[in-house]
């Protein structure tokens, strides 16, 4: 529906004729030479139906309503007590309904000038009829009356109509409309001065008729001024100003028959639909501006704060004497593909005091059998009925002894010094948790490269900013270290959300403890290798994030100063950049397509290229900080067409699910075991 409304607004707003100038001049061989301006269809031809005008004049105005010039024209007519006919463009009438109603209240006739100022002598017949029908619907909706008066755009006097044009006008008018051309063209569209307009609008040989002016389509100050001169001058010469109906010698009701109540309601509904389409596109333009400012501000903030974080960590004192006991908890549900490699990498850590606890959460594959067969020191297997990831983590914490709990996904591979680097920031007693550096280990395919770019440019760069501003919202489940005391203070891992990592991180942040980012603590994880797997993973993440935000909404209004960083920084940031912006992004893309189709495509293309250049610069900066090769960035522009759209749709689905109360469960993603560790993946 939104797409239809935006497309309709584009058609309406950007196919309107830009000139009032007639296409053709007088032609002695034209079939209507000598005819008067008001024409009806008879026997397949256009015929003059009006009596001789004598010294009677009907003033007409085209291309309105204009919010500035139409009221000024009407004011002159009101002051001079002169009736007139206004041929309105339907799309403009929907934009300015009050002006149309004002004209009706003043007793002026309203005529049909098509919906988008489209020619009635070219194009498909159904399109010409639609142009008239839409404008008629608008007039019915605004005034309760039909109009039988039609003035074809780009028309002038009858002697300018060619035989081909006459046939098309006959087809458009049928027996329904009166074609209202002009006996006298004021040529105010030429804007050659007031004197020229007055002279052009003055009848020749003392005979009156239909005089054509314009109240829309541009600056009409000369028209307004010319009317102030022309009307008194013609009255002084004995001319009488009448309506088109009077000039044609027919009752007003014939030219403007009343509509039924049902027809008026349909017209009102259509008019409001058109107005809503204009409003929607206008709103989207403001949204684009707002989003552009937000995104630009965020990029600048990331550049500045990530650079600051790098300088701070580069000169920070390395505390290697801090080696508390560590319990590594690995929740595992059907992880037979990668569990052996994950556990062996943990066992190979160079950290002095640690244990590994694999909690098998009711797996129905060979996960437990593989762990048991490893026979590694420091490794324990704990089995429980399937109860979810949070329960598995709590079980591991309950059976562990370490001062620090390191949580690791069952598909994640650690480097030898990862635990040491991960634990190091906990030497500061204010720190309650530490986020590691999650790396995509299966980045050889296009989908893997896209996720690799996202992890480095999005997640890791954000974590640097979060640490500087002290409101890290998530310690990832793939690699995170928690002070046992901090976990116990918040009651351990909660099963109330699907994003237990975000939930517990926000809870720890609300206690006033800090959350740090350990760039050197690298963990290599297997990202989803199929679009279906990626969708399921991100759906769970986004749904769980919304649950966590809702659960911790009290921090926003809390007066506890310890909660300020979460309530005033983390939650608003997450709402803005992780939920609201992705939700409206498809509309912005839709508006970009609108711009390419209906407006000058160059600014749209320049904006898109500028956005991508900004994203590429940010990505190159992030890759440099992470000491990654820049070669995968060739895939970044293509990310805008598939991957980014998919992420937006996931957010939208998650939001709808949250609003209607759909519950989701923890499900593992299909694994391939294709995780490559270290510099060999920097391609």
């Amino acid at each position: 529906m939104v797409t239809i409304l935006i497309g309709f607004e584009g058609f309406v707003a950007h196919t309107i004729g830009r000139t009032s100038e007639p296409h053709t001049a007088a032609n002695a061989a034209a079939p209507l030479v000598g005819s008067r301006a008001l024409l009806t269809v008879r026997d397949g031809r256009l015929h003059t139906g009006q009596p001789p005008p004598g010294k009677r004049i009907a003033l007409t105005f085209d291309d309105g309503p204009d919010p500035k010039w139409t009221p000024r024209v009407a004011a002159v007519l009101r002051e001079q007590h002169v009736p007139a006919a206004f041929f309105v463009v339907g799309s403009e009438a929907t934009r300015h309904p009050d002006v149309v109603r004002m004209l009706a209240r003043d007793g002026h006739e309203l005529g049909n000038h098509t919906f988008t100022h489209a020619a009635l002598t070219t194009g498909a017949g159904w399109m010409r009829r639609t142009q008239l029908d839409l404008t008629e619907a608008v007039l019915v909706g605004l005034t309760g009356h039909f109009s039988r008066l039609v003035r074809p755009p780009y028309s002038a006097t009858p002697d300018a109509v060619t035989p081909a044009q006459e046939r098309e006008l006959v087809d458009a008018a049928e027996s329904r409309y009166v074609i209202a051309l002009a006996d006298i063209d004021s040529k105010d569209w030429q804007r050659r001065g007031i004197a020229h307009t007055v002279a052009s609008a003055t009848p020749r040989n003392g005979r009156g008729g239909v005089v054509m002016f314009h109240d829309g389509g541009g600056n009409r100050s000369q028209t307004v001024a010319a009317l102030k001169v022309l009307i008194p001058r013609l009255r002084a010469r004995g001319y009488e100003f009448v309506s088109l109906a009077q000039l044609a010698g027919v009752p007003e009701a014939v030219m403007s028959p009343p509509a039924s109540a049902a027809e008026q309601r349909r017209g009102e509904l259509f008019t409001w639909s058109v107005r809503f389409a204009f409003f929607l596109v206008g709103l989207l333009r403001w949204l684009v501006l707002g989003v552009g400012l937000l995104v630009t501000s965020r990029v600048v903030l990331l550049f500045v704060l990530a650079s600051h974080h790098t300088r701070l960590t580069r000169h920070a004192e390395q505390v290697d004497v801090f080696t508390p006991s560590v319990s590594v908890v690995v929740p595992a549900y059907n992880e037979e593909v990668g569990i052996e490699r994950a556990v062996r990498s943990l066992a190979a850590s160079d950290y002095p005091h640690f244990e590994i606890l694999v909690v098998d959460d009711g797996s129905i594959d060979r996960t437990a059998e593989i762990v048991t067969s490893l026979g590694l020191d420091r490794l324990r297997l704990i089995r429980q009925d399937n109860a979810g990831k949070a329960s598995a983590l709590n079980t591991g914490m309950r059976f562990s002894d370490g001062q620090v709990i390191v949580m690791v996904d069952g598909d994640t591979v650690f480097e030898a010094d990862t635990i040491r680097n991960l634990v190091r920031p906990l030497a500061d007693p204010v720190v309650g948790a530490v986020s590691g550096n999650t790396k995509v280990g299966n980045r050889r395919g296009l989908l893997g490269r896209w996720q690799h770019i996202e992890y480095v440019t999005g997640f890791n760069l954000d974590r640097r900013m979060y640490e500087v501003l002290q409101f890290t919202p998530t310690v990832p489940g793939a690699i995170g270290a928690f002070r046992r005391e901090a976990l116990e203070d918040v009651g351990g891992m909660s099963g109330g959300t699907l994003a237990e990592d975000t939930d517990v991180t926000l809870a720890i942040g609300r206690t006033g403890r800090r959350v740090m980012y350990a760039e050197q603590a690298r963990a290599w994880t297997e990202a989803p290798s199929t679009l279906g797997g990626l969708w399921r993973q991100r759906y769970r993440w986004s749904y769980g994030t919304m649950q966590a935000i809702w659960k911790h909404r009290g921090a926003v209004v809390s007066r506890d100063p310890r909660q300020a960083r979460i309530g005033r920084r983390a939650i608003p940031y997450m709402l803005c950049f992780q939920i609201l912006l992705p939700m409206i992004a498809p509309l912005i893309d839709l508006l970009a397509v609108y711009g390419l189709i209906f407006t000058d495509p160059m600014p749209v293309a320049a904006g898109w290229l500028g956005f991508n250049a900004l994203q590429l610069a940010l990505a190159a900066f992030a890759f440099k900080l992470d000491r990654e090769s820049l070669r995968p960035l060739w895939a970044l522009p293509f990310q805008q067409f598939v991957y980014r759209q998919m992420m937006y749709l996931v957010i939208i689905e998650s939001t709808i699910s949250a609003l209607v109360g759909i519950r989701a469960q923890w499900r593992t993603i299909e694994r391939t075991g294709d995780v490559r560790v270290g510099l060999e993946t920097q391609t």
Side-chain angles (χ1 to χ4, degrees):
M1 179 59 71
V2 172
T3 303
I4 293 173
L5 287 173
I6 291 176
F8 181 74
E9 192 278 345
F11 169 75
V12 167
H14 299 287
T15 59
I16 294 175
R18 296 301 181 187
T19 176
S20 305
E21 182 176 354
H23 287 313
T24 56
N27 183 351
L32 299 179
V33 171
S35 296
R36 307 304 299 168
L38 300 179
L39 304 165
T40 56
V41 177
R42 188 171 72 245
D43 300 328
R45 297 289 304 275
L46 290 177
H47 292 273
T48 299
Q50 71 182 78
K55 297 197 74 171
R56 296 187 301 168
I57 287 178
L59 298 182
T60 63
F61 298 87
D62 292 2
D63 296 353
D66 182 280
K68 180 177 181 180
W69 299 112
T70 302
R72 296 187 183 186
V73 169
V76 175
L77 299 175
R78 193 180 306 117
E79 180 182 344
Q80 299 289 337
H81 304 288
V82 171
F86 288 82
F87 290 90
V88 300
V89 176
S91 57
E92 293 300 294
T94 61
R95 292 189 184 196
H96 313 294
D98 292 340
V99 179
V100 176
R101 294 190 182 103
M102 175 202 69
L103 295 174
R105 285 195 305 269
D106 285 356
H108 299 298
E109 293 172 308
L110 296 173
N112 192 325
H113 204 43
T114 76
F115 197 72
T116 63
H117 201 271
L120 290 178
T121 54
T122 58
W126 68 267
M127 179 62 76
R128 298 196 298 272
R129 287 188 291 273
T130 300
Q131 288 279 339
L132 296 176
D133 290 344
L134 293 180
T135 304
E136 188 171 276
V138 172
L139 290 175
V140 168
L142 294 178
T143 69
H145 288 264
F146 293 98
S147 175
R148 296 307 180 216
L149 293 167
V150 170
R151 172 164 289 166
Y154 314 106
S155 66
T157 55
D159 55 8
V161 176
T162 67
Q165 290 172 340
E166 182 192 16
R167 289 193 295 271
E168 299 298 344
L169 292 178
V170 167
D171 181 63
E174 300 176 331
S175 60
R176 182 178 178 186
Y177 294 112
V178 174
I179 299 295
L181 300 179
D183 296 305
I184 304 167
D185 183 359
S186 70
K187 300 182 181 179
D188 60 343
W189 46 270
Q190 294 181 347
R191 298 189 183 92
R192 294 173 59 184
I194 298 170
H196 179 269
T197 301
V198 171
S200 299
T202 300
R204 305 293 187 270
N205 303 319
R207 187 173 66 174
V210 179
V211 182
M212 181 173 66
F213 287 94
H214 298 84
D215 64 315
N219 187 323
R220 298 304 173 198
S221 58
Q222 292 184 12
T223 300
V224 173
L227 288 171
K228 294 178 180 180
V229 175
L230 179 70
I231 294 173
R233 180 178 296 180
L234 293 182
R235 272 190 173 143
R237 296 181 182 180
Y239 286 94
E240 177 188 4
F241 292 94
V242 298
S243 67
L244 287 178
Q246 291 172 318
L247 196 65
V250 299
E252 298 282 351
V254 173
M255 292 296 194
S256 182
S260 68
E263 289 168 330
Q264 185 170 1
R265 283 194 296 272
R266 285 196 297 269
E268 290 173 348
L269 179 61
F270 173 71
T271 302
W272 277 105
S273 299
V274 177
R275 294 185 67 186
F276 180 71
F278 280 110
F279 167 79
L280 181 61
V281 173
L283 177 63
L284 287 179
R285 288 195 178 102
W286 281 107
L287 282 175
V288 168
L289 178 61
V291 169
L293 291 174
L294 280 174
V295 170
T296 303
S297 300
R298 178 179 176 272
V299 168
V300 172
L301 201 63
L302 284 170
F303 271 118
V304 173
L305 296 183
S307 299
H308 180 65
H309 175 270
T310 301
R311 289 192 297 270
L312 288 178
T313 54
R314 186 178 298 156
H315 298 96
E317 182 181 356
Q318 301 296 314
V319 184
D320 288 323
V321 295
F322 180 72
T323 55
S325 59
V326 171
S327 296
V328 182
V329 179
V330 185
Y333 177 70
N334 293 342
E335 296 284 3
E336 65 177 0
V337 173
I339 192 67
E340 178 177 354
R341 190 174 186 186
V343 171
R344 288 192 181 279
S345 73
L346 294 169
S349 298
D350 62 7
Y351 194 77
H353 314 295
F354 72 97
E355 61 177 344
I356 306 170
L357 295 90
V358 176
V359 182
D360 179 40
D361 187 45
S363 298
I364 57 175
D365 64 358
R366 297 178 57 251
T367 298
E369 179 185 339
I370 292 172
V371 173
T372 301
S373 68
L374 294 178
L376 297 173
D377 294 336
R378 303 176 175 177
L379 172 63
R380 280 192 287 167
L381 173 67
I382 303 170
R383 307 186 71 167
Q384 68 174 33
D385 293 337
N386 182 254
K389 187 175 183 180
S391 173
L393 290 168
N394 285 332
T395 298
M397 187 174 71
R398 187 167 62 252
F399 283 92
S400 66
D401 301 317
Q403 298 167 275
V404 173
I405 307 297
V406 171
M407 298 180 183
V408 184
D409 284 344
D411 64 329
T412 302
V413 177
F414 272 31
E415 296 179 0
D417 60 353
T418 295
I419 295 179
R420 185 183 299 276
N421 291 324
L422 187 63
V423 169
R424 184 178 291 132
L426 291 169
D428 184 347
V430 178
V431 178
V434 181
S435 168
N437 186 343
T438 311
K439 294 288 188 181
V440 174
N442 56 324
R443 61 181 79 165
R444 286 179 293 182
L446 184 58
L447 189 60
R449 283 190 174 90
W450 282 341
Q451 292 176 86
H452 168 47
I453 293 171
E454 182 185 26
Y455 273 60
V456 176
T457 304
F459 303 156
N460 290 345
L461 203 58
D462 278 348
R463 289 182 185 120
R464 289 179 167 90
M465 178 185 69
Y466 293 150
E467 182 178 320
V468 175
L469 297 179
Q470 300 181 27
F471 68 89
T472 300
T474 305
V475 171
I479 173 172
F482 298 86
R483 195 182 300 276
R484 178 182 289 273
E485 176 187 343
L487 283 175
E488 291 174 346
D489 283 351
V490 299
M493 308 298 289
S494 171
T497 73
L498 290 179
E500 70 288 327
D501 47 5
T502 299
D503 187 0
V504 74
T505 306
L506 292 176
I508 290 173
R510 293 181 69 177
T511 67
R513 291 183 171 91
R514 292 187 61 184
V515 179
M516 304 290 285
Y517 171 55
E519 175 190 346
Q520 300 303 321
R522 289 182 288 269
W524 300 83
T525 188
E526 180 181 345
S529 56
T530 65
L531 289 175
L534 179 63
W535 186 286
R536 290 192 296 274
Q537 181 198 65
R538 298 311 172 86
Y539 173 81
R540 178 171 62 84
W541 286 5
S542 59
Y543 188 96
T545 297
M546 294 176 195
Q547 290 177 310
I549 289 174
W550 180 253
K551 179 178 178 180
H552 294 280
R553 66 190 183 279
V556 177
V557 295
S558 175
R559 296 183 178 181
D560 187 343
R562 297 177 301 173
Q563 301 193 37
R565 291 197 299 267
I566 298 301
R568 313 291 194 274
R569 303 179 195 173
I571 290 179
Y573 184 90
M574 294 166 72
L575 275 172
C576 182
F577 289 101
Q578 295 184 26
I579 298 177
L580 295 180
L581 284 185
M583 284 190 65
I584 65 175
L587 294 178
I588 295 174
D589 291 341
L590 190 61
L591 193 63
V593 175
Y594 166 99
L596 290 173
I597 296 174
F598 295 112
T599 66
D600 184 357
M602 293 305 296
V604 178
W608 186 84
L609 290 173
F611 173 79
N612 277 275
L614 192 64
Q615 292 292 102
L616 185 60
L618 185 66
F621 173 69
F623 270 59
K624 181 180 178 182
L625 293 182
D626 261 27
R627 298 179 179 84
E628 292 277 0
S629 168
L630 299 181
R631 280 178 287 178
L633 292 182
W634 65 264
L636 181 60
F638 302 100
Q639 195 180 45
Q640 310 299 322
F641 295 103
V642 179
Y643 188 85
R644 188 166 61 94
Q645 314 303 323
M646 181 178 176
M647 295 301 101
Y648 295 158
L649 293 176
V650 168
I651 294 291
I652 293 172
E653 184 193 14
S654 303
T655 303
I656 294 173
S657 299
L659 291 175
V660 301
I662 295 176
R663 296 185 62 84
Q665 297 178 342
W666 175 40
R667 295 183 298 172
T668 57
I669 307 300
E670 183 180 351
R671 306 296 184 189
T672 65
D674 181 23
V675 178
R676 305 175 70 195
V677 180
L679 294 177
E680 62 179 346
T681 62
Q682 311 303 306
T683 59

